[in-house]
Amino acid sequence: IVQGLTTHLARATHKLRKQHSAAGTLTVVLHTNRFRRSPNGELAKQYYGSRTVQLPHPTSSNVELIPYALTTLKSIYQF
Protein backbone atom coordinates (compact mmCIF):
# COMPACT_ATOMS: atom_id res chain seq x y z
CA ILE A 1 0.00 0.00 0.00
CA VAL A 2 2.82 2.38 0.91
CA GLN A 3 4.66 1.71 -2.35
CA GLY A 4 1.48 2.29 -4.37
CA LEU A 5 0.80 5.54 -2.54
CA THR A 6 4.32 6.91 -3.05
CA THR A 7 4.34 5.90 -6.73
CA HIS A 8 0.99 7.60 -7.32
CA LEU A 9 2.20 10.68 -5.44
CA ALA A 10 5.37 10.82 -7.56
CA ARG A 11 3.29 10.82 -10.75
CA ALA A 12 0.94 13.47 -9.36
CA THR A 13 3.77 15.80 -8.28
CA HIS A 14 5.42 15.38 -11.69
CA LYS A 15 2.18 16.51 -13.34
CA LEU A 16 1.90 19.44 -10.92
CA ARG A 17 5.41 20.62 -11.79
CA LYS A 18 4.71 20.19 -15.51
CA GLN A 19 1.64 22.45 -15.13
CA HIS A 20 3.56 24.92 -12.92
CA SER A 21 0.98 24.19 -10.21
CA ALA A 22 1.09 23.34 -6.52
CA ALA A 23 -1.13 21.37 -4.13
CA GLY A 24 -2.61 23.05 -1.07
CA THR A 25 -4.47 20.00 0.20
CA LEU A 26 -3.82 16.27 0.10
CA THR A 27 -6.50 13.57 0.12
CA VAL A 28 -5.74 9.89 0.67
CA VAL A 29 -8.49 7.41 -0.25
CA LEU A 30 -8.33 3.71 0.56
CA HIS A 31 -10.96 1.10 -0.31
CA THR A 32 -11.28 -2.62 -0.86
CA ASN A 33 -12.16 -4.39 -4.10
CA ARG A 34 -15.96 -4.32 -4.24
CA PHE A 35 -16.03 -7.45 -6.43
CA ARG A 36 -13.93 -9.63 -4.10
CA ARG A 37 -15.65 -12.74 -2.78
CA SER A 38 -15.07 -14.50 0.53
CA PRO A 39 -14.17 -18.23 0.55
CA ASN A 40 -17.86 -19.15 0.91
CA GLY A 41 -18.75 -17.24 -2.29
CA GLU A 42 -20.45 -14.24 -0.68
CA LEU A 43 -19.25 -10.72 -1.25
CA ALA A 44 -16.38 -9.92 1.09
CA LYS A 45 -16.64 -7.28 3.80
CA GLN A 46 -16.01 -3.82 2.37
CA TYR A 47 -13.82 -1.05 3.74
CA TYR A 48 -13.61 2.58 2.71
CA GLY A 49 -11.61 5.32 4.35
CA SER A 50 -10.43 8.76 3.33
CA ARG A 51 -8.78 11.75 4.94
CA THR A 52 -7.92 15.20 3.67
CA VAL A 53 -5.17 17.37 5.15
CA GLN A 54 -4.51 21.04 4.58
CA LEU A 55 -0.85 21.61 3.79
CA PRO A 56 1.02 24.45 5.53
CA HIS A 57 1.93 25.92 2.14
CA PRO A 58 1.23 24.90 -1.48
CA THR A 59 3.90 22.61 -2.91
CA SER A 60 4.67 20.32 -5.82
CA SER A 61 7.60 18.64 -4.07
CA ASN A 62 7.47 14.89 -3.70
CA VAL A 63 9.87 15.13 -0.74
CA GLU A 64 7.52 17.50 1.11
CA LEU A 65 4.30 15.62 0.33
CA ILE A 66 5.37 12.04 1.14
CA PRO A 67 5.49 12.52 4.95
CA TYR A 68 1.99 14.06 4.90
CA ALA A 69 0.68 11.24 2.70
CA LEU A 70 2.19 8.51 4.89
CA THR A 71 0.89 10.08 8.11
CA THR A 72 -2.55 10.38 6.55
CA LEU A 73 -2.44 6.75 5.37
CA LYS A 74 -1.47 5.57 8.85
CA SER A 75 -4.45 7.45 10.31
CA ILE A 76 -6.79 5.59 7.94
CA TYR A 77 -5.24 2.11 7.88
CA GLN A 78 -3.63 0.34 10.83
CA PHE A 79 -0.71 -1.81 9.60
Side-chain angles (χ1 to χ4, degrees):
I1 294 174
V2 171
Q3 184 179 5
L5 177 64
T6 55
T7 300
H8 186 73
L9 189 61
R11 277 190 248 133
T13 54
H14 175 75
K15 289 179 182 183
L16 283 171
R17 289 189 298 274
K18 194 173 178 181
Q19 296 173 359
H20 303 287
S21 298
T25 60
L26 175 75
T27 302
V28 176
V29 178
L30 186 66
H31 62 87
T32 55
N33 180 353
R34 63 181 154 191
F35 301 109
R36 184 173 178 211
R37 301 236 174 226
S38 63
N40 64 3
E42 296 179 11
L43 287 176
K45 184 177 177 184
Q46 298 297 303
Y47 174 80
Y48 177 85
S50 71
R51 290 261 160 66
T52 300
V53 292
Q54 188 74 30
L55 302 173
H57 59 278
T59 184
S60 61
S61 170
N62 200 21
V63 174
E64 289 183 56
L65 289 174
I66 285 176
Y68 290 106
L70 294 177
T71 301
T72 305
L73 175 63
K74 288 176 185 172
S75 73
I76 299 171
Y77 184 76
Q78 300 298 318
F79 293 93

Short mmCIF file of all heavy atoms in Angstrom, two decimals, residues 9-78:
data_model
loop_
_atom_site.label_atom_id
_atom_site.label_comp_id
_atom_site.label_asym_id
_atom_site.label_seq_id
_atom_site.Cartn_x
_atom_site.Cartn_y
_atom_site.Cartn_z
N LEU A 9 1.83 9.32 -5.84
CA LEU A 9 2.20 10.68 -5.44
C LEU A 9 3.32 11.23 -6.33
O LEU A 9 3.30 12.41 -6.70
CB LEU A 9 2.61 10.70 -3.97
CG LEU A 9 2.82 12.06 -3.35
CD1 LEU A 9 1.54 12.88 -3.38
CD2 LEU A 9 3.29 11.91 -1.92
N ALA A 10 4.27 10.39 -6.68
CA ALA A 10 5.37 10.82 -7.56
C ALA A 10 4.83 11.24 -8.93
O ALA A 10 5.25 12.26 -9.49
CB ALA A 10 6.40 9.72 -7.71
N ARG A 11 3.89 10.46 -9.46
CA ARG A 11 3.29 10.82 -10.75
C ARG A 11 2.49 12.12 -10.64
O ARG A 11 2.55 12.97 -11.53
CB ARG A 11 2.39 9.70 -11.25
CG ARG A 11 3.15 8.62 -11.94
CD ARG A 11 2.21 7.64 -12.64
NE ARG A 11 2.34 6.39 -11.91
CZ ARG A 11 1.36 5.62 -11.50
NH1 ARG A 11 0.12 5.95 -11.74
NH2 ARG A 11 1.60 4.51 -10.85
N ALA A 12 1.76 12.26 -9.54
CA ALA A 12 0.94 13.47 -9.36
C ALA A 12 1.82 14.72 -9.21
O ALA A 12 1.51 15.76 -9.81
CB ALA A 12 0.05 13.31 -8.13
N THR A 13 2.90 14.63 -8.45
CA THR A 13 3.77 15.80 -8.28
C THR A 13 4.49 16.14 -9.59
O THR A 13 4.72 17.31 -9.88
CB THR A 13 4.80 15.59 -7.15
OG1 THR A 13 5.54 14.39 -7.38
CG2 THR A 13 4.12 15.54 -5.80
N HIS A 14 4.81 15.12 -10.38
CA HIS A 14 5.42 15.38 -11.69
C HIS A 14 4.46 16.18 -12.56
O HIS A 14 4.85 17.15 -13.22
CB HIS A 14 5.80 14.06 -12.37
CG HIS A 14 6.31 14.23 -13.76
ND1 HIS A 14 7.58 14.72 -14.01
CD2 HIS A 14 5.74 14.01 -14.96
CE1 HIS A 14 7.76 14.78 -15.31
NE2 HIS A 14 6.65 14.35 -15.91
N LYS A 15 3.18 15.79 -12.56
CA LYS A 15 2.18 16.51 -13.34
C LYS A 15 1.98 17.94 -12.81
O LYS A 15 1.80 18.87 -13.59
CB LYS A 15 0.85 15.76 -13.33
CG LYS A 15 0.88 14.49 -14.14
CD LYS A 15 -0.45 13.78 -14.10
CE LYS A 15 -0.40 12.48 -14.89
NZ LYS A 15 -1.71 11.80 -14.91
N LEU A 16 2.02 18.10 -11.49
CA LEU A 16 1.90 19.44 -10.92
C LEU A 16 3.03 20.34 -11.40
O LEU A 16 2.81 21.49 -11.80
CB LEU A 16 1.91 19.38 -9.39
CG LEU A 16 0.64 18.94 -8.70
CD1 LEU A 16 0.90 18.73 -7.21
CD2 LEU A 16 -0.47 19.96 -8.90
N ARG A 17 4.26 19.82 -11.35
CA ARG A 17 5.41 20.62 -11.79
C ARG A 17 5.32 20.94 -13.28
O ARG A 17 5.64 22.05 -13.71
CB ARG A 17 6.71 19.89 -11.47
CG ARG A 17 7.03 19.86 -9.99
CD ARG A 17 8.42 19.33 -9.71
NE ARG A 17 8.60 17.95 -10.15
CZ ARG A 17 8.29 16.88 -9.43
NH1 ARG A 17 7.77 17.03 -8.21
NH2 ARG A 17 8.50 15.67 -9.90
N LYS A 18 4.86 19.98 -14.07
CA LYS A 18 4.71 20.19 -15.51
C LYS A 18 3.70 21.30 -15.81
O LYS A 18 3.85 22.05 -16.77
CB LYS A 18 4.27 18.87 -16.15
CG LYS A 18 4.40 18.82 -17.63
CD LYS A 18 4.11 17.41 -18.13
CE LYS A 18 4.18 17.34 -19.63
NZ LYS A 18 3.88 16.00 -20.13
N GLN A 19 2.68 21.42 -14.97
CA GLN A 19 1.64 22.45 -15.13
C GLN A 19 2.00 23.75 -14.41
O GLN A 19 1.22 24.69 -14.42
CB GLN A 19 0.32 21.95 -14.55
CG GLN A 19 -0.27 20.77 -15.23
CD GLN A 19 -1.50 20.24 -14.48
OE1 GLN A 19 -1.89 20.75 -13.44
NE2 GLN A 19 -2.10 19.19 -15.03
N HIS A 20 3.16 23.77 -13.75
CA HIS A 20 3.56 24.92 -12.92
C HIS A 20 2.50 25.20 -11.86
O HIS A 20 2.11 26.34 -11.61
CB HIS A 20 3.81 26.17 -13.78
CG HIS A 20 4.84 25.95 -14.84
ND1 HIS A 20 6.18 25.85 -14.55
CD2 HIS A 20 4.73 25.78 -16.18
CE1 HIS A 20 6.85 25.65 -15.67
NE2 HIS A 20 6.00 25.59 -16.68
N SER A 21 2.01 24.12 -11.24
CA SER A 21 0.98 24.19 -10.21
C SER A 21 1.53 23.69 -8.88
O SER A 21 2.65 23.18 -8.82
CB SER A 21 -0.22 23.32 -10.58
OG SER A 21 -0.82 23.76 -11.77
N ALA A 22 0.72 23.84 -7.84
CA ALA A 22 1.09 23.34 -6.52
C ALA A 22 -0.17 22.88 -5.80
O ALA A 22 -1.26 23.40 -6.04
CB ALA A 22 1.79 24.42 -5.71
N ALA A 23 -0.01 21.90 -4.90
CA ALA A 23 -1.13 21.37 -4.13
C ALA A 23 -1.20 22.07 -2.78
O ALA A 23 -0.18 22.23 -2.11
CB ALA A 23 -0.96 19.87 -3.93
N GLY A 24 -2.40 22.45 -2.38
CA GLY A 24 -2.61 23.05 -1.07
C GLY A 24 -3.26 22.09 -0.09
O GLY A 24 -3.24 22.31 1.12
N THR A 25 -3.87 21.04 -0.62
CA THR A 25 -4.47 20.00 0.20
C THR A 25 -4.07 18.64 -0.36
O THR A 25 -3.70 18.51 -1.53
CB THR A 25 -6.02 20.08 0.23
OG1 THR A 25 -6.50 19.94 -1.10
CG2 THR A 25 -6.50 21.37 0.83
N LEU A 26 -4.17 17.64 0.48
CA LEU A 26 -3.82 16.27 0.10
C LEU A 26 -4.92 15.35 0.61
O LEU A 26 -5.26 15.40 1.80
CB LEU A 26 -2.48 15.88 0.71
CG LEU A 26 -2.04 14.44 0.51
CD1 LEU A 26 -1.55 14.25 -0.92
CD2 LEU A 26 -0.93 14.10 1.48
N THR A 27 -5.48 14.53 -0.26
CA THR A 27 -6.50 13.57 0.12
C THR A 27 -6.00 12.17 -0.16
O THR A 27 -5.51 11.89 -1.26
CB THR A 27 -7.82 13.81 -0.65
OG1 THR A 27 -8.27 15.14 -0.40
CG2 THR A 27 -8.89 12.81 -0.26
N VAL A 28 -6.11 11.29 0.82
CA VAL A 28 -5.74 9.89 0.67
C VAL A 28 -7.03 9.08 0.80
O VAL A 28 -7.76 9.22 1.77
CB VAL A 28 -4.71 9.44 1.73
CG1 VAL A 28 -4.42 7.96 1.61
CG2 VAL A 28 -3.43 10.26 1.60
N VAL A 29 -7.29 8.24 -0.22
CA VAL A 29 -8.49 7.41 -0.25
C VAL A 29 -8.05 5.95 -0.32
O VAL A 29 -7.16 5.60 -1.09
CB VAL A 29 -9.37 7.74 -1.48
CG1 VAL A 29 -10.59 6.83 -1.53
CG2 VAL A 29 -9.77 9.20 -1.48
N LEU A 30 -8.67 5.12 0.50
CA LEU A 30 -8.33 3.71 0.56
C LEU A 30 -9.62 2.91 0.59
O LEU A 30 -10.50 3.18 1.40
CB LEU A 30 -7.52 3.45 1.83
CG LEU A 30 -6.93 2.08 2.05
CD1 LEU A 30 -5.86 1.79 1.01
CD2 LEU A 30 -6.33 2.01 3.44
N HIS A 31 -9.76 1.94 -0.33
CA HIS A 31 -10.96 1.10 -0.31
C HIS A 31 -10.63 -0.28 -0.82
O HIS A 31 -9.66 -0.50 -1.53
CB HIS A 31 -12.11 1.72 -1.11
CG HIS A 31 -11.82 1.90 -2.57
ND1 HIS A 31 -12.04 0.93 -3.50
CD2 HIS A 31 -11.33 2.96 -3.25
CE1 HIS A 31 -11.71 1.37 -4.70
NE2 HIS A 31 -11.26 2.60 -4.58
N THR A 32 -11.47 -1.24 -0.45
CA THR A 32 -11.28 -2.62 -0.86
C THR A 32 -11.91 -2.84 -2.24
O THR A 32 -12.70 -2.04 -2.72
CB THR A 32 -11.92 -3.59 0.14
OG1 THR A 32 -13.29 -3.23 0.30
CG2 THR A 32 -11.22 -3.56 1.47
N ASN A 33 -11.59 -3.99 -2.83
CA ASN A 33 -12.16 -4.39 -4.10
C ASN A 33 -13.62 -4.78 -3.89
O ASN A 33 -13.91 -5.75 -3.19
CB ASN A 33 -11.36 -5.56 -4.67
CG ASN A 33 -11.89 -6.06 -5.99
OD1 ASN A 33 -12.93 -5.63 -6.47
ND2 ASN A 33 -11.15 -6.97 -6.59
N ARG A 34 -14.53 -4.05 -4.48
CA ARG A 34 -15.96 -4.32 -4.24
C ARG A 34 -16.44 -5.61 -4.89
O ARG A 34 -17.54 -6.08 -4.60
CB ARG A 34 -16.80 -3.15 -4.70
CG ARG A 34 -16.72 -2.88 -6.16
CD ARG A 34 -17.55 -1.69 -6.55
NE ARG A 34 -16.98 -1.13 -7.77
CZ ARG A 34 -17.32 0.01 -8.27
NH1 ARG A 34 -18.21 0.74 -7.66
NH2 ARG A 34 -16.76 0.45 -9.36
N PHE A 35 -15.64 -6.21 -5.76
CA PHE A 35 -16.03 -7.45 -6.43
C PHE A 35 -15.42 -8.69 -5.77
O PHE A 35 -15.70 -9.81 -6.18
CB PHE A 35 -15.62 -7.41 -7.91
CG PHE A 35 -16.23 -6.26 -8.64
CD1 PHE A 35 -15.45 -5.18 -9.04
CD2 PHE A 35 -17.58 -6.22 -8.92
CE1 PHE A 35 -16.01 -4.11 -9.71
CE2 PHE A 35 -18.16 -5.16 -9.60
CZ PHE A 35 -17.37 -4.10 -9.99
N ARG A 36 -14.60 -8.50 -4.76
CA ARG A 36 -13.93 -9.63 -4.10
C ARG A 36 -14.95 -10.49 -3.36
O ARG A 36 -15.86 -9.99 -2.71
CB ARG A 36 -12.89 -9.10 -3.13
CG ARG A 36 -12.11 -10.21 -2.48
CD ARG A 36 -10.98 -9.65 -1.66
NE ARG A 36 -10.29 -10.77 -1.02
CZ ARG A 36 -9.71 -10.69 0.14
NH1 ARG A 36 -9.67 -9.55 0.78
NH2 ARG A 36 -9.13 -11.73 0.66
N ARG A 37 -14.76 -11.79 -3.44
CA ARG A 37 -15.65 -12.74 -2.78
C ARG A 37 -14.91 -13.43 -1.64
O ARG A 37 -13.72 -13.67 -1.70
CB ARG A 37 -16.15 -13.78 -3.76
CG ARG A 37 -16.90 -13.16 -4.92
CD ARG A 37 -18.25 -13.76 -5.01
NE ARG A 37 -19.03 -13.08 -6.04
CZ ARG A 37 -20.26 -12.69 -5.85
NH1 ARG A 37 -20.86 -12.90 -4.72
NH2 ARG A 37 -20.93 -12.09 -6.81
N SER A 38 -15.64 -13.75 -0.59
CA SER A 38 -15.07 -14.50 0.53
C SER A 38 -14.99 -15.98 0.12
O SER A 38 -15.57 -16.38 -0.89
CB SER A 38 -15.92 -14.31 1.78
OG SER A 38 -17.21 -14.83 1.57
N PRO A 39 -14.29 -16.80 0.90
CA PRO A 39 -14.17 -18.23 0.55
C PRO A 39 -15.51 -18.96 0.39
O PRO A 39 -15.60 -19.93 -0.36
CB PRO A 39 -13.37 -18.81 1.72
CG PRO A 39 -12.59 -17.67 2.25
CD PRO A 39 -13.47 -16.46 2.06
N ASN A 40 -16.56 -18.48 1.05
CA ASN A 40 -17.86 -19.15 0.91
C ASN A 40 -18.68 -18.63 -0.28
O ASN A 40 -19.82 -19.02 -0.47
CB ASN A 40 -18.68 -19.04 2.21
CG ASN A 40 -19.04 -17.61 2.54
OD1 ASN A 40 -18.75 -16.69 1.79
ND2 ASN A 40 -19.69 -17.42 3.67
N GLY A 41 -18.09 -17.72 -1.08
CA GLY A 41 -18.75 -17.24 -2.29
C GLY A 41 -19.54 -15.96 -2.13
O GLY A 41 -19.98 -15.37 -3.11
N GLU A 42 -19.72 -15.50 -0.90
CA GLU A 42 -20.45 -14.24 -0.68
C GLU A 42 -19.50 -13.07 -0.89
O GLU A 42 -18.29 -13.22 -0.84
CB GLU A 42 -21.01 -14.20 0.74
CG GLU A 42 -22.04 -15.27 0.99
CD GLU A 42 -22.56 -15.21 2.42
OE1 GLU A 42 -22.27 -14.23 3.13
OE2 GLU A 42 -23.26 -16.16 2.81
N LEU A 43 -20.08 -11.91 -1.11
CA LEU A 43 -19.25 -10.72 -1.25
C LEU A 43 -18.48 -10.48 0.05
O LEU A 43 -19.05 -10.60 1.14
CB LEU A 43 -20.09 -9.49 -1.59
CG LEU A 43 -20.65 -9.44 -3.02
CD1 LEU A 43 -21.55 -8.22 -3.19
CD2 LEU A 43 -19.54 -9.40 -4.04
N ALA A 44 -17.22 -10.15 -0.08
CA ALA A 44 -16.38 -9.92 1.09
C ALA A 44 -16.75 -8.60 1.77
O ALA A 44 -17.35 -7.71 1.16
CB ALA A 44 -14.91 -9.90 0.68
N LYS A 45 -16.39 -8.50 3.03
CA LYS A 45 -16.64 -7.28 3.80
C LYS A 45 -15.90 -6.11 3.14
O LYS A 45 -14.75 -6.25 2.72
CB LYS A 45 -16.14 -7.47 5.23
CG LYS A 45 -16.45 -6.31 6.13
CD LYS A 45 -15.99 -6.58 7.55
CE LYS A 45 -16.22 -5.37 8.42
NZ LYS A 45 -15.71 -5.57 9.77
N GLN A 46 -16.56 -4.99 3.05
CA GLN A 46 -16.01 -3.82 2.37
C GLN A 46 -15.44 -2.83 3.37
O GLN A 46 -15.91 -2.72 4.51
CB GLN A 46 -17.08 -3.13 1.54
CG GLN A 46 -17.64 -4.01 0.44
CD GLN A 46 -16.57 -4.39 -0.57
OE1 GLN A 46 -15.94 -3.54 -1.15
NE2 GLN A 46 -16.38 -5.69 -0.74
N TYR A 47 -14.42 -2.10 2.92
CA TYR A 47 -13.82 -1.05 3.74
C TYR A 47 -13.59 0.16 2.86
O TYR A 47 -13.16 0.03 1.71
CB TYR A 47 -12.49 -1.50 4.33
CG TYR A 47 -11.79 -0.39 5.06
CD1 TYR A 47 -12.17 -0.04 6.35
CD2 TYR A 47 -10.79 0.35 4.46
CE1 TYR A 47 -11.57 1.01 7.01
CE2 TYR A 47 -10.18 1.40 5.11
CZ TYR A 47 -10.58 1.72 6.38
OH TYR A 47 -9.99 2.78 7.03
N TYR A 48 -13.87 1.34 3.40
CA TYR A 48 -13.61 2.58 2.71
C TYR A 48 -13.18 3.61 3.73
O TYR A 48 -13.82 3.79 4.76
CB TYR A 48 -14.87 3.08 2.00
CG TYR A 48 -14.68 4.41 1.31
CD1 TYR A 48 -14.17 4.47 0.03
CD2 TYR A 48 -14.98 5.60 1.96
CE1 TYR A 48 -13.97 5.68 -0.59
CE2 TYR A 48 -14.78 6.81 1.35
CZ TYR A 48 -14.28 6.86 0.07
OH TYR A 48 -14.07 8.06 -0.55
N GLY A 49 -12.07 4.26 3.46
CA GLY A 49 -11.61 5.32 4.35
C GLY A 49 -10.94 6.42 3.54
O GLY A 49 -10.32 6.16 2.51
N SER A 50 -11.10 7.64 3.99
CA SER A 50 -10.43 8.76 3.33
C SER A 50 -10.16 9.85 4.35
O SER A 50 -10.89 9.99 5.34
CB SER A 50 -11.26 9.31 2.17
OG SER A 50 -12.40 9.98 2.65
N ARG A 51 -9.13 10.59 4.11
CA ARG A 51 -8.78 11.75 4.94
C ARG A 51 -8.19 12.82 4.04
O ARG A 51 -7.48 12.53 3.08
CB ARG A 51 -7.73 11.39 5.98
CG ARG A 51 -8.21 10.50 7.08
CD ARG A 51 -8.55 11.31 8.33
NE ARG A 51 -9.42 10.62 9.24
CZ ARG A 51 -9.14 9.52 9.92
NH1 ARG A 51 -8.00 8.93 9.79
NH2 ARG A 51 -10.02 9.01 10.74
N THR A 52 -8.47 14.05 4.38
CA THR A 52 -7.92 15.20 3.67
C THR A 52 -7.17 16.05 4.68
O THR A 52 -7.66 16.29 5.78
CB THR A 52 -9.04 16.03 3.02
OG1 THR A 52 -9.75 15.18 2.09
CG2 THR A 52 -8.49 17.23 2.28
N VAL A 53 -5.97 16.48 4.29
CA VAL A 53 -5.17 17.37 5.15
C VAL A 53 -4.86 18.65 4.39
O VAL A 53 -4.62 18.63 3.19
CB VAL A 53 -3.86 16.70 5.62
CG1 VAL A 53 -4.11 15.58 6.57
CG2 VAL A 53 -3.03 16.23 4.46
N GLN A 54 -4.91 19.74 5.12
CA GLN A 54 -4.51 21.04 4.58
C GLN A 54 -3.01 21.18 4.77
O GLN A 54 -2.51 21.00 5.88
CB GLN A 54 -5.26 22.15 5.34
CG GLN A 54 -5.08 23.52 4.76
CD GLN A 54 -5.87 23.71 3.48
OE1 GLN A 54 -6.91 23.11 3.29
NE2 GLN A 54 -5.33 24.53 2.60
N LEU A 55 -2.30 21.47 3.70
CA LEU A 55 -0.85 21.61 3.79
C LEU A 55 -0.49 23.01 4.30
O LEU A 55 -1.24 23.97 4.07
CB LEU A 55 -0.23 21.38 2.40
CG LEU A 55 -0.53 20.02 1.78
CD1 LEU A 55 -0.02 19.97 0.35
CD2 LEU A 55 0.07 18.91 2.60
N PRO A 56 0.65 23.15 5.00
CA PRO A 56 1.02 24.45 5.53
C PRO A 56 1.26 25.50 4.45
O PRO A 56 1.03 26.69 4.65
CB PRO A 56 2.30 24.19 6.32
CG PRO A 56 2.68 22.79 6.08
CD PRO A 56 1.58 22.11 5.36
N HIS A 57 1.73 25.04 3.28
CA HIS A 57 1.93 25.92 2.14
C HIS A 57 1.83 25.08 0.87
O HIS A 57 2.18 23.90 0.87
CB HIS A 57 3.27 26.65 2.21
CG HIS A 57 4.44 25.73 2.26
ND1 HIS A 57 4.88 25.14 3.42
CD2 HIS A 57 5.25 25.25 1.27
CE1 HIS A 57 5.91 24.36 3.16
NE2 HIS A 57 6.16 24.40 1.87
N PRO A 58 1.34 25.66 -0.24
CA PRO A 58 1.23 24.90 -1.48
C PRO A 58 2.60 24.42 -1.95
O PRO A 58 3.59 25.13 -1.84
CB PRO A 58 0.64 25.90 -2.47
CG PRO A 58 -0.06 26.91 -1.62
CD PRO A 58 0.76 27.00 -0.36
N THR A 59 2.63 23.19 -2.45
CA THR A 59 3.90 22.61 -2.91
C THR A 59 3.66 21.61 -4.03
O THR A 59 2.57 21.06 -4.15
CB THR A 59 4.65 21.93 -1.75
OG1 THR A 59 5.91 21.47 -2.23
CG2 THR A 59 3.87 20.78 -1.17
N SER A 60 4.69 21.38 -4.82
CA SER A 60 4.67 20.32 -5.82
C SER A 60 5.85 19.38 -5.59
O SER A 60 6.22 18.60 -6.47
CB SER A 60 4.72 20.91 -7.24
OG SER A 60 5.91 21.64 -7.42
N SER A 61 6.43 19.44 -4.41
CA SER A 61 7.60 18.64 -4.07
C SER A 61 7.20 17.28 -3.52
O SER A 61 6.47 17.20 -2.52
CB SER A 61 8.46 19.37 -3.04
OG SER A 61 9.45 18.51 -2.53
N ASN A 62 7.70 16.25 -4.15
CA ASN A 62 7.47 14.89 -3.70
C ASN A 62 8.03 14.69 -2.28
O ASN A 62 7.42 14.06 -1.44
CB ASN A 62 8.14 13.93 -4.69
CG ASN A 62 7.61 12.54 -4.62
OD1 ASN A 62 6.52 12.30 -4.15
ND2 ASN A 62 8.40 11.61 -5.09
N VAL A 63 9.20 15.26 -2.04
CA VAL A 63 9.87 15.13 -0.74
C VAL A 63 9.02 15.75 0.37
O VAL A 63 8.95 15.21 1.48
CB VAL A 63 11.27 15.78 -0.80
CG1 VAL A 63 11.92 15.81 0.56
CG2 VAL A 63 12.14 15.06 -1.81
N GLU A 64 8.35 16.85 0.09
CA GLU A 64 7.52 17.50 1.11
C GLU A 64 6.19 16.78 1.31
O GLU A 64 5.67 16.73 2.43
CB GLU A 64 7.24 18.95 0.72
CG GLU A 64 8.44 19.86 0.83
CD GLU A 64 8.07 21.30 0.52
OE1 GLU A 64 7.16 21.83 1.18
OE2 GLU A 64 8.70 21.86 -0.40
N LEU A 65 5.63 16.21 0.25
CA LEU A 65 4.30 15.62 0.33
C LEU A 65 4.29 14.19 0.89
O LEU A 65 3.31 13.79 1.52
CB LEU A 65 3.62 15.62 -1.05
CG LEU A 65 3.20 17.00 -1.54
CD1 LEU A 65 2.69 16.92 -2.97
CD2 LEU A 65 2.12 17.58 -0.64
N ILE A 66 5.36 13.43 0.68
CA ILE A 66 5.37 12.04 1.14
C ILE A 66 5.12 11.90 2.64
O ILE A 66 4.30 11.08 3.05
CB ILE A 66 6.66 11.31 0.69
CG1 ILE A 66 6.57 10.99 -0.79
CG2 ILE A 66 6.88 10.03 1.48
CD1 ILE A 66 7.80 10.35 -1.38
N PRO A 67 5.79 12.68 3.51
CA PRO A 67 5.49 12.52 4.95
C PRO A 67 4.02 12.79 5.30
O PRO A 67 3.44 12.08 6.13
CB PRO A 67 6.40 13.55 5.62
CG PRO A 67 7.50 13.79 4.64
CD PRO A 67 6.87 13.63 3.29
N TYR A 68 3.41 13.78 4.65
CA TYR A 68 1.99 14.06 4.90
C TYR A 68 1.13 12.90 4.43
O TYR A 68 0.19 12.48 5.10
CB TYR A 68 1.55 15.35 4.21
CG TYR A 68 2.13 16.59 4.81
CD1 TYR A 68 3.15 17.28 4.18
CD2 TYR A 68 1.67 17.07 6.03
CE1 TYR A 68 3.70 18.42 4.74
CE2 TYR A 68 2.21 18.21 6.61
CZ TYR A 68 3.22 18.88 5.96
OH TYR A 68 3.76 20.01 6.52
N ALA A 69 1.46 12.35 3.25
CA ALA A 69 0.68 11.24 2.70
C ALA A 69 0.79 10.00 3.59
O ALA A 69 -0.20 9.33 3.86
CB ALA A 69 1.15 10.93 1.29
N LEU A 70 2.00 9.69 4.05
CA LEU A 70 2.19 8.51 4.89
C LEU A 70 1.50 8.65 6.25
O LEU A 70 0.90 7.70 6.75
CB LEU A 70 3.68 8.21 5.07
CG LEU A 70 4.42 7.79 3.79
CD1 LEU A 70 5.90 7.60 4.09
CD2 LEU A 70 3.80 6.56 3.17
N THR A 71 1.58 9.83 6.83
CA THR A 71 0.89 10.08 8.11
C THR A 71 -0.61 9.95 7.93
O THR A 71 -1.30 9.36 8.77
CB THR A 71 1.25 11.48 8.65
OG1 THR A 71 2.65 11.56 8.82
CG2 THR A 71 0.55 11.77 9.96
N THR A 72 -1.12 10.47 6.82
CA THR A 72 -2.55 10.38 6.55
C THR A 72 -2.96 8.93 6.33
O THR A 72 -3.99 8.47 6.84
CB THR A 72 -2.92 11.24 5.32
OG1 THR A 72 -2.47 12.57 5.55
CG2 THR A 72 -4.41 11.24 5.08
N LEU A 73 -2.16 8.17 5.58
CA LEU A 73 -2.44 6.75 5.37
C LEU A 73 -2.48 6.00 6.69
O LEU A 73 -3.38 5.20 6.93
CB LEU A 73 -1.39 6.13 4.44
CG LEU A 73 -1.49 4.63 4.22
CD1 LEU A 73 -2.81 4.27 3.53
CD2 LEU A 73 -0.30 4.14 3.42
N LYS A 74 -1.52 6.26 7.56
CA LYS A 74 -1.47 5.57 8.85
C LYS A 74 -2.68 5.91 9.73
O LYS A 74 -3.09 5.10 10.55
CB LYS A 74 -0.17 5.89 9.58
CG LYS A 74 1.01 5.21 8.93
CD LYS A 74 2.31 5.59 9.60
CE LYS A 74 3.48 4.97 8.82
NZ LYS A 74 4.76 5.45 9.29
N SER A 75 -3.26 7.10 9.54
CA SER A 75 -4.45 7.45 10.31
C SER A 75 -5.69 6.75 9.80
O SER A 75 -6.68 6.60 10.51
CB SER A 75 -4.66 8.97 10.32
OG SER A 75 -5.12 9.42 9.07
N ILE A 76 -5.66 6.29 8.53
CA ILE A 76 -6.79 5.59 7.94
C ILE A 76 -6.67 4.09 8.15
O ILE A 76 -7.63 3.40 8.47
CB ILE A 76 -6.86 5.84 6.41
CG1 ILE A 76 -7.06 7.30 6.10
CG2 ILE A 76 -7.98 5.03 5.77
CD1 ILE A 76 -6.91 7.61 4.62
N TYR A 77 -5.46 3.55 7.93
CA TYR A 77 -5.24 2.11 7.88
C TYR A 77 -4.20 1.72 8.92
O TYR A 77 -3.09 2.23 8.90
CB TYR A 77 -4.76 1.72 6.49
CG TYR A 77 -4.58 0.25 6.27
CD1 TYR A 77 -5.67 -0.59 6.08
CD2 TYR A 77 -3.32 -0.31 6.26
CE1 TYR A 77 -5.50 -1.94 5.87
CE2 TYR A 77 -3.13 -1.67 6.05
CZ TYR A 77 -4.25 -2.47 5.85
OH TYR A 77 -4.07 -3.81 5.65
N GLN A 78 -4.56 0.82 9.81
CA GLN A 78 -3.63 0.34 10.83
C GLN A 78 -2.88 -0.87 10.29
O GLN A 78 -3.47 -1.89 10.00
CB GLN A 78 -4.38 -0.04 12.10
CG GLN A 78 -5.15 1.11 12.71
CD GLN A 78 -4.24 2.25 13.14
OE1 GLN A 78 -3.19 2.03 13.69
NE2 GLN A 78 -4.67 3.47 12.86
#
